[in-house]
Every structure is written in C-alpha cells, then in structure tokens.
Amino acid sequence: MALELRGITKRFPGVLANDDVSLAVGSGEVLALLGENGAGKTTLMNILYGLYRPDEGSVVVDDRELDLASSRDAIAAGIGMVHQHFMLVPVFTVAENVILGQEPSGPLGVIKKDAARATVRDISERYRLHVDPDAVIEDLPVGVQQRVEIVKVLNREARYVIFDEPTAVLTPQEVEEFFAIVRGLQADGKGIIFITHKLGEALEVADRVAVMRAGRKVAEVTPGETSEAHLAELMVGRPVELVVPKDTSHPGATVLQVQDLVVRDDRGHRAVNGVTFEVRTGEIVGVAGVQGNGQTELIEAIMGLRPSLAGNVVLDGTDVTDYNPRQLHEARVSHIPEDRQESGLVLGFTVAENMVLNCYYEEPFSRVLVMDWDATNEAAQRLVKQYDVRTPGIEVPVSNLSGGNQQKVIVAREFDRDVRLVIASQPTRGIDVGSIEYIHGQIVAKRDAGAAVLVVSSELDEVTALADRILVLYHGKIAGEFPPDADITEIGLAMLGSGR
Amino acid sequence: MTATVTETVTEQPVSTRRTTEGRRATIVGFVLLGLTAVVLWVFALGAASDATATFNLSLPNDRFQGLTWAFNARALSLVVAVVLAALGAQRLRRSQLGWTNTVLGIGLLLFVVSFLGWAAAGSSFSLVGMLRSTVISAVVITLGALTGLMCERAGVVNIGIEGQLLTSAFVATVLSSAFGTVAGVTGAMLAGALLGAVLAWLAIKFQVDQIIAGVVINIFALGLTSFLASRVLSEAQDLNAPARVPSFRLPLLADIPVLGPMFFDHTFFVYGMLLLAFGLHFAFFRTRWGLRARAVGEHPKAADTLGIDVYRVRYRNVILGGLIAGFGGAFLALAQIARFEEDMTGGIGFIGLAALIFGRWMPLGCLAAGLVFGFSGALAQKVAILGTGIPSEFMLMLPYVATVIVVAGVVGHARAPAADGQPYIKG
C-alpha cells in the first residue's frame, strides 16, 4: 500500500520545474518534502493532485497507475490535499465547505443539512479537531480553518494526505497541536506528505525526509542520520550560516517613538489598539505575532500609508504622524513593504526604473521636468553590482527576476543612502536561503551603521535571529516584550494572547 | 485552549457589528425625523382640514365591488407624523437596536401612504390599480435582475442584459407574428440564451474584460435590431403585429380583495416571474446546484480543487440567465404594447442590475427591489394624473437615489460575490 511518483518531469516555458523526480510514501508513514521556494515542490504536488499533467513519468497508487486529469480523479484515488492558501469559501459555514462537491442530497438536489452537520461532528470527534459545523469560515482563526481543511480531506476518505507548508501561518503552540493531529492521522494508517522549508519541523515529524533543489530530488534521508545544518546544505547546495552573525547591540538615542497608536483596518475594526514603543539607534526591534494581529496596519500607519485614529508617531522629536511617504523618505526613513509585488515594486517597470522609485524626482535622476536616464542607468548598474542582484540586465522588467532578487532590488533602493530608520516588513518572505542570508546581513549592517531598525515578521525564527528586543503583537496590542534569547514557549504564549 | 482562541477572535467582529449597527440606527433615526417634518409641514398643513381622500380598493372586473377606504387626509398625516417621530426617536435613543431596515421600511411605507392621502385629498384614486401596475412594471426589472443574479452568483458580470432583452423582444415579435405566441416566447428565450453563450464564451474562453464584453453585446443588439426594424419590419408590417398575450385569472386566488387583482389576474409572464424568484431562492440556498454555483462565484479555485468544473458551472449559469432575459424580452414585446419599437428597452436592463444590487444578490431581494422600482414607476404615472405639481421625473428618480444609498452602505452592507467579474484561470 503506497503512493508513488515515478520519474516525474514537468516543463514550463523556459523552466524545468521537475526533473525526473521519484518519491514514495506508504500507509502510516510521514514523508517530509523539503526544499526552497521555487525548488519544484508545489509543482510536484499539483501533479499529484491532478492540477497539472506531467510531461513524463507516472503517478501510482497501490500498484495501480493513474491518469489524473483533474483533482476529481485525485480525490477518487484517495489523495487529499491541504493547500497552503486554504481552499475555503469565506462566507460559507464549516459544514457547507466540508460537503462542497460531495453533497449529501435528496430529490431535486436538496441538501441534507443535518447529515452534513453530523458528518462534520463525527470526523471532528474522531480525530479531535474541535470544529463547529455551523461556524462561518471568515469568523474563524487560521488554526481552526486549517482543521476545517483537514476535515474536508478526511470526509473524502483520503488515504494519502498532502500538507503544503501547513505551519506557515501557525503559532508555535498551534504547530504542536498540528503535529499531534498528524500523528493521529498516521496512527490511523494515512500516508502523509508534509511539504515545508522549515528544517526543524521536517526532523521532528517525519519518518523520512526528501530534499529537492532546482527541480530535482537531491537526497532522501531519515531524521536519525542527518542534522539541520546538513539538510540546509542539501537544500541550498552549499554550506549555509543558519545563525545571523552579529555583535551585541549598543542602543543610543531614541529615533522612533510610537505613542498610543490606534489604527483601523479596511473593515473598520481597530486593528492597532493603543500601541506604544520606541526604537533607538543601533538596535533592531522585532515585532512578532501571528499574521493579522495588526502588524500590517501598524506599519502602514507609521509609513503614512493609512490614517491613524489616535496617537502619535514621533521621529527624532518631530511629530510625523501626518507625514506622507515622500516626507518620510526625505526624513531618511527606509521601508521594505510586506508584499514586494503588491507595494514594493512596479512589476512591469524595469530594474533600473524600480531602483529610483523613491527618489526619481530628485537630482540627478530628474532635471526640472525631465528624467535623466543616463544618471538613472548608471546608478542602477552600480546598485545591481553592489547589492548582488542577479539579473540579465537593468533593462529587463523586474517581474522576470526571482523573488529573492526582486527583494534585493528593494533593499538596494531603500538602503543605498544614509538612513535614520529602517522599517522592514516580512523582509525575507518566500525567498531563497541565499538571499535571506544576504538581506539579514544588510539589515544588521544598517544597525551597526547607527540606524534604528524595526523588523516585522510572522516567522518567529526570523524575529529571534535578527532582533535585539522582541515585541509581540496580539489583537492590536503589545502582549509582551522579550530579550532575543527568551524561551520560545513564552513568546508563543504571548502570540496567543495568554502570556503575561 | 482551542476554545479560548475561538472566543477571543470572534469577539472583535461582534463588537464592530454593534457600532456599525449603532451608526446606521442614528442615520435612520435622522431620516425618520426628516420624513416626520415633511409629513407635518407639507402633507398635514397642505391638505384642507376637511378634505377627504378616497382610495378605491377594487377594480371593475373584481368579484367584490365597491371596496373603498375614505379618510380625512390631514388627520391621517398627523397620525403618521406621530408614529414616524416615535420610531425616529426610538432609533436615536439606541435603546433597542436591530430591525433597523424593517423600521426604515415601515417608516417609508407610512410616508408614502401619507403622501398619497395628501395627493388624493378631495378626490378619489384607485390604489389597487396602482398596485396592479406596480407588479406589471416590476416584471422586466425583476427578470433582468434575476438574469444578473444567475451570472454574478457564478462570478460573471453581465451588463449585456439590456442587449439580451432588446434582441429577444425583437425575436419574440417576429416569431410570434409569424408562428404564434409559443414560438415567439421560445424563440426569445433561445435568443437570450445565445447572447448569454456569447458573453460566457468571451468571458471564460478568452477572458475578455466582462464589462467590455457586455457593452459589446448591448451595442451589437441595439444596432442589429434597429437595422432590422427599419429595413425589414417597416417593409413587412405583418411581422410586427404579434397577438397580445391575454391575462389569465387564477381561480379563487384572483378573488381575494386587493391581493387578487394585484398578483393573480395577469399574463403568464407575471406568474413566471413570481415562480422564478421563489424557485431560484430555494435553488440557490437549499440545493447542491446552488451551493456549487455560489462556491464558484465566491472562490472558484476552492471549487476547482474539490472537483467542481468551474467553467461548466459558469457557462451553464450565464446561459440559463440568458433564458430568463429572453423571457423578459418576450414580455416587453408581447404583453405590453404588442409590437417592436426601436430601442424599446430604454435602459431597463441596467435598472435590473440596480435592482440586483438593491436586492443584495438574493432572488427574493431582486423581486422586492423590482416591486419597489415598479412602484415608483406606477406612482409617477398616478401623480402625473392627480396633478400635484410634482414633476413625475422626480418620482421616477427616487428608486435610483435609494440604490445609491444602499450601495453606499447606509442601509446595511451589500456584498457582491467575491469572485464577481474575475476570470478564472485553471492551474
């Protein structure tokens, strides 16, 4: 009894996404599939789930070769998938989401709601998932939404379950709960594929770990015979520094003061509800917290991208609450926005154009009303070299670059001047380990050069690696302040609001 | 621990719901007080103190004849003013929130009654006649809204309803003139479905911007029917002479006072509209078919991963919507004036879209919105006859003002399906 992928090859225009990959997972076994973004994990799983068709190779379930033309075929073959971005209809109830596509119904297709509720309750009890069939998805926290996804998969009687980056949105405590659920499924005889880029999790939960790099499977090991450093090296293809090298900080004068800030989100809720903190020169303050606890709104309010309801933002003694982004730029504030494609770059613009987005109107890039392209290109050439941006040239659209290199374009643009305050939001989300190392190094360098740095990340590891002081944001309030060497469990509890 | 997480997170939306509810209550309170002032100054003081208004509650061919309601116009307005003021004050005190929309609805209804009393003071006026023409005016608007609903609930924006109505009205006229009513209605529905299929094909297969695709259909329909009307119908006059569809009195039901003549003494188009609105409401919210269609309109990718064919659902819904539009077009041509005229729809398809929004993307909401819009049309006619001095265009304008208010969110939030208008690209 096993699920196998045999010699899978998949080409996209210009990219070899999977190159002769073979994998197998048996019943009651957990296989971790490790690899960086862009290594081909997701493509492989989409093939397994019938969303893509392989150019070569085959999918075999219990010794039967399958031709998966759609996810319907995969479901029928007993394959279930919990996607990284949950596939739940936000305005539907839990029960409606669970039965969708397989509705218990009577004559005229009338849905038997009681049967649907009972199904959810049964599965929920059997695997201790604690979901309420009548709750509406958009009111549920992500941890619960993930359990709804698991109920969905189990309701389709999946024997093999694929989890795509399941822990990315969870707090450390929720991760522990999640692992308990995985072990329950394993004990029940399900075969599990667990896709992740987090080394520790792969080692903790898996029976075997397969490592992918650049579309190929480069190794398959058992947790007993490997270590995090070894796995990282396999993933990246060279030895990697897992710890950010930095000296102890020497904080100086206060640069940024945020006082009793209250900010509304798009729906009118108070996403930031009375936040006070300060950042001094030569220190990195990290903001940890589960996504959606007000981080986005806090940063947007500080950066003049969102009005605040109350409170002040003070920069070097000047009230900058009502400053717009350009005024802040001129006050020597750098900003790495949380979504590089949405707000960090103009994707259709060239690398050179993106390099001067914050200062195009200044000398020497602009003279009176006309752009000086020679000066712009010259600066872009220098920045590309200096900040190690891997690009075919400065004239290509920035959308052609990989995530890591796109992020380096932003870092180059924002860091290439004497800055007073750096605000970095999710600075390394979804980029390769090499680029992460580089960007972390740059952030620490800015700190050592005397800037005040505020880093926001939903990856707790990143916050603890970079920060000299950690603030935890929970429901728009600061739920705790910790030194960087604090106990992860304590920080985790604060992230759930049950800390001090 | 799970329990705490759930509790604390759901707490936030509830509290904000309360504040928006409070804000709406305040706004509605002020609106009601404003209406009170108008009722007092204009309707109560404007009517002569002894003027009696008479509402006729039966039509000539009703079973129960001579039902009337006569009252002193000023006294009625004073009573209405007291009730409106009480309702408004209650809202502003914010003691008992909830039911805000119902309170607003009752308030507006009382206001209209008071207005009619003032307008009819010293004379008599057929209330049932007006309600009956309300239902007739609502048919095309409601059917247009239901067409939009079918498409938008599955994630395709259809602004080509106007063109579908016009084309099917033309087809209905010609086929009905040549082969009879059944052929006319069937042909019209097929014509509507065909244009729906074109829209779906452009929107799904080629991912053409759906607004542009809809506009193209409208322009095409207007050009084609105008050309054919001036070249063909003007030559062959007998192709522009369909038999008018007769009314069919539903036994017993039509004898109920007021409601009988209002709803149950009509052409089959009216019964079709009522059945469709109730049937679709049931289908969308109780059946497998409806759950899948809504899932496709809200989160197509989720539906796809569960093995639901997003493209098929979208094609099917847009084409079914076309059938409904075709039915509406046939009503225009065969039940109202029994001939085709150039641009005879005159923008009513767009009014249907407004009714879709006003009805908050719910089938019964579409029917209610159609009736409200139809009522203002009927009111405008009557007011013109009564000669109150208020321009009838002003009355016709009111429902659209109401739509703007609804869309602006004052009367509560109206939320379109999340994937409305977004092409779905597989994989």
Side-chain angles (χ1 to χ4, degrees):
Chain A
M1 297 287 273
L3 168 67
E4 292 173 67
L5 287 162
R6 291 181 184 160
I8 299 285
T9 298
K10 175 74 185 173
R11 295 178 199 89
F12 290 115
V15 191
L16 187 58
N18 288 146
D19 182 7
D20 191 23
V21 180
S22 298
L23 282 180
V25 63
S27 294
E29 190 186 25
V30 180
L31 171 74
L33 183 57
L34 201 60
E36 296 207 69
N37 282 48
K41 295 168 300 184
T42 304
T43 306
L44 193 65
M45 290 307 116
N46 282 339
I47 288 171
L48 191 50
Y49 197 58
L51 295 176
Y52 295 150
R53 307 198 86 157
D55 295 323
E56 284 162 43
S58 57
V59 178
V60 180
V61 174
D62 303 343
D63 299 322
R64 227 159 29 86
E65 188 166 318
L66 299 175
D67 178 32
L68 302 173
S70 76
S71 39
R72 184 180 283 268
D73 297 341
I75 293 167
I79 302 170
M81 181 145 172
V82 175
H83 298 263
Q84 183 178 3
H85 304 285
F86 299 146
M87 293 297 163
L88 298 169
V89 181
V91 297
F92 281 13
T93 64
V94 169
E96 284 173 330
N97 268 290
V98 169
I99 60 169
L100 184 62
Q102 240 181 29
E103 305 83 354
S105 48
L108 284 174
V110 179
I111 292 173
K112 294 178 177 160
K113 288 200 172 164
D114 290 333
R117 281 195 200 99
T119 310
V120 175
R121 266 191 222 106
D122 286 352
I123 296 174
S124 171
E125 261 165 46
R126 197 164 139 216
Y127 293 92
R128 299 189 194 172
L129 294 169
H130 307 292
V131 294
D132 168 14
D134 293 317
V136 175
I137 296 295
E138 61 187 354
D139 296 337
L140 297 174
V142 277
V144 181
Q145 292 190 15
Q146 182 171 60
R147 298 204 294 270
V148 176
E149 283 280 24
I150 297 173
V151 174
K152 244 167 88 176
V153 166
L154 294 172
N155 182 42
R156 284 166 175 75
E157 287 166 0
R159 285 170 297 135
Y160 301 97
V161 185
I162 307 163
F163 289 100
D164 189 3
E165 299 279 3
T167 59
V169 290
L170 304 180
T171 62
Q173 275 75 11
E174 286 176 318
V175 170
E176 282 310 314
E177 279 178 54
F178 171 73
F179 284 164
I181 294 169
V182 168
R183 292 196 187 98
L185 295 174
Q186 187 181 10
D188 198 46
K190 313 279 186 204
I192 291 162
I193 300 181
F194 179 98
I195 304 175
T196 184
H197 66 269
K198 293 184 185 168
L199 310 165
E201 292 177 356
L203 291 176
E204 182 175 345
V205 80
D207 298 314
R208 278 182 299 124
V209 181
V211 184
M212 286 189 72
R213 184 171 75 232
R216 312 188 55 148
K217 187 173 90 172
V218 291
E220 191 168 314
V221 292
T222 57
E225 64 186 33
T226 184
S227 65
E228 289 199 23
H230 179 224
L231 286 177
E233 191 176 335
L234 288 170
M235 243 165 88
V236 183
R238 62 177 172 79
V240 182
E241 201 71 61
L242 287 175
V243 187
V244 182
K246 64 177 170 77
D247 304 326
T248 42
S249 67
H250 303 287
T254 300
V255 175
L256 175 73
Q257 280 173 287
V258 173
Q259 292 158 344
D260 300 316
L261 197 66
V262 179
V263 188
R264 282 216 180 107
D265 66 11
D266 294 335
R267 296 197 291 175
H269 303 167
R270 290 181 167 212
V272 176
N273 202 352
V275 164
T276 301
F277 66 91
E278 55 179 47
V279 187
R280 291 164 293 178
T281 59
E283 77 166 343
I284 301 178
V285 173
V287 177
V290 182
Q291 240 176 78
N293 272 290
Q295 297 95 324
T296 307
E297 290 78 9
L298 173 66
I299 297 303
E300 286 181 349
I302 295 175
M303 282 312 302
L305 294 165
R306 181 181 285 274
S308 49
L309 207 60
N312 297 88
V313 179
V314 177
L315 185 71
D316 282 328
T318 312
D319 189 324
V320 298
T321 317
D322 295 326
Y323 271 32
N324 63 32
R326 178 173 288 184
Q327 288 171 305
L328 287 165
H329 162 76
E330 286 168 357
R332 296 195 290 147
V333 178
S334 283
H335 179 212
I336 302 180
E338 72 173 9
D339 187 335
R340 60 178 161 273
Q341 306 208 329
E342 180 81 23
S343 45
L345 299 166
V346 180
L347 287 179
F349 278 16
T350 65
V351 172
E353 286 165 335
N354 273 290
M355 285 285 193
V356 297
L357 273 187
N358 57 347
C359 55
Y360 67 90
Y361 62 93
E362 293 171 339
E363 298 266 352
F365 309 117
S366 179
R367 295 181 195 283
V368 195
L369 290 172
V370 183
M371 287 291 291
D372 183 339
W373 290 111
D374 290 338
T376 307
N377 290 341
E378 206 173 289
Q381 290 288 11
R382 179 177 61 79
L383 289 172
V384 161
K385 207 168 289 162
Q386 193 176 332
Y387 286 85
D388 190 31
V389 181
R390 313 267 167 88
T391 169
I394 58 164
E395 294 294 337
V396 301
V398 78
S399 56
N400 288 9
L401 272 55
S402 73
N405 284 305
Q406 289 181 352
Q407 197 72 353
K408 284 187 199 164
V409 170
I410 298 176
V411 169
R413 179 181 78 209
E414 296 295 331
F415 281 16
D416 187 54
R417 60 198 171 104
D418 178 25
V419 295
R420 189 75 182 138
L421 172 67
V422 172
I423 293 184
S425 202
Q426 312 289 356
T428 61
R429 177 185 281 171
I431 65 178
D432 58 288
V433 173
S435 302
I436 293 176
E437 244 185 321
Y438 182 83
I439 289 172
H440 282 172
Q442 290 294 323
I443 290 174
V444 172
K446 275 292 169 202
R447 178 200 77 168
D448 292 342
V453 182
L454 181 66
V455 174
V456 178
S457 176
S458 51
E459 298 260 1
L460 188 52
D461 295 346
E462 176 163 49
V463 175
T464 52
L466 276 176
D468 302 312
R469 207 145 58 82
I470 298 172
L471 303 174
V472 174
L473 209 54
Y474 175 74
H475 274 199
K477 293 196 162 129
I478 291 181
E481 181 177 333
F482 300 89
D485 52 357
D487 185 6
I488 290 283
T489 323
E490 290 235 343
I491 301 178
L493 283 173
M495 285 165 74
L496 279 172
S498 32
R500 305 177 249 175
Chain B
M1 192 181 63
T2 314
T4 42
V5 174
T6 320
E7 271 168 27
T8 42
V9 172
T10 45
E11 166 198 67
Q12 204 175 8
V14 170
S15 64
T16 21
R17 213 173 289 150
R18 248 178 238 135
T19 57
T20 45
E21 189 75 17
R23 199 171 60 226
R24 275 173 49 207
T26 310
I27 293 169
V28 168
F30 280 118
V31 168
L32 290 172
L33 291 185
L35 294 179
T36 311
V38 175
V39 168
L40 275 180
W41 299 133
V42 182
F43 302 158
L45 296 179
S49 60
D50 57 346
T52 302
T54 310
F55 287 176
N56 290 328
L57 300 180
S58 52
L59 290 174
N61 57 347
D62 279 7
R63 171 177 295 236
F64 300 101
Q65 283 298 317
L67 299 176
T68 55
W69 178 36
F71 54 86
N72 179 292
R74 175 175 285 183
L76 179 90
S77 290
L78 288 175
V79 172
V80 166
V82 170
V83 177
L84 281 178
L87 288 176
Q90 192 271 341
R91 284 295 109 177
L92 286 181
R93 276 184 57 220
R94 291 187 172 203
S95 53
Q96 185 115 40
L97 298 178
W99 298 97
T100 295
N101 285 342
T102 316
V103 169
L104 181 64
I106 293 171
L108 288 175
L109 191 70
L110 288 173
F111 179 80
V112 168
V113 170
S114 166
F115 166 74
L116 286 174
W118 167 73
S123 62
S124 77
F125 150 82
S126 173
L127 184 65
V128 172
M130 188 182 74
L131 293 177
R132 188 182 142 80
S133 47
T134 293
V135 174
I136 294 172
S137 313
V139 174
V140 188
I141 299 172
T142 305
L143 290 174
L146 291 175
T147 303
L149 180 100
M150 285 296 275
C151 304
E152 296 204 8
R153 275 288 183 178
V156 179
V157 169
N158 181 358
I159 65 159
I161 298 170
E162 175 82 2
Q164 289 177 305
L165 289 170
L166 190 59
T167 309
S168 49
F170 179 85
V171 172
T173 307
V174 172
L175 288 183
S176 177
S177 305
F179 306 108
T181 305
V182 175
V185 175
T186 315
M189 290 174 71
L190 291 179
L194 183 69
L195 284 182
V198 171
L199 173 73
W201 188 59
L202 290 173
I204 297 165
K205 173 105 187 193
F206 299 106
Q207 284 146 21
V208 175
D209 183 296
Q210 295 170 10
I211 301 295
I212 293 174
V215 169
V216 166
I217 286 178
N218 287 338
I219 294 172
F220 168 77
L222 181 61
L224 183 74
T225 55
S226 300
F227 168 77
L228 290 175
S230 64
R231 288 299 172 83
V232 181
L233 293 189
S234 58
E235 298 294 311
Q237 293 281 354
D238 53 336
L239 281 182
N240 198 1
R244 183 192 285 268
V245 174
S247 288
F248 176 74
R249 277 178 76 90
L250 292 181
L252 296 178
L253 286 175
D255 294 334
I256 304 170
V258 185
L259 287 182
M262 203 176 150
F263 286 111
F264 303 117
D265 183 12
H266 282 291
T267 58
F268 64 83
F269 290 106
V270 171
Y271 308 135
M273 164 190 79
L274 293 172
L275 284 178
L276 263 175
F278 282 94
L280 284 181
H281 206 85
F282 184 83
F284 265 110
F285 297 103
R286 288 292 163 79
T287 70
R288 179 171 59 195
W289 172 86
L291 189 74
R292 291 183 178 189
R294 285 188 292 135
V296 165
E298 292 284 349
H299 195 334
K301 181 129 205 206
D304 193 10
T305 57
L306 295 172
I308 294 168
D309 188 336
V310 174
Y311 296 153
R312 216 179 90 187
V313 170
R314 287 193 167 172
Y315 269 112
R316 187 189 60 199
N317 268 43
V318 175
I319 291 171
L320 286 177
L323 288 176
I324 299 176
F327 189 63
F331 167 81
L332 267 182
L334 305 182
Q336 292 208 292
I337 53 173
R339 59 176 281 118
F340 183 84
E341 284 169 9
E342 212 176 297
D343 194 20
M344 69 188 297
T345 46
I348 205 160
F350 296 107
I351 295 171
L353 280 178
L356 172 64
I357 297 169
F358 194 92
R360 299 189 190 190
W361 286 271
M362 306 286 250
L364 289 180
C366 290
L367 175 61
L371 288 170
V372 168
F373 287 12
F375 180 79
S376 89
L379 190 63
Q381 280 172 12
K382 289 288 170 187
V383 167
I385 295 168
L386 286 168
T388 53
I390 299 175
S392 63
E393 288 82 359
F394 185 73
M395 308 307 299
L396 280 171
M397 206 173 75
L398 287 178
Y400 312 115
V401 175
T403 306
V404 170
I405 292 170
V406 171
V407 175
V410 174
V411 189
H413 80 155
R415 192 158 68 167
D420 201 1
Q422 291 171 13
Y424 178 66
I425 301 155
K426 230 174 135 67

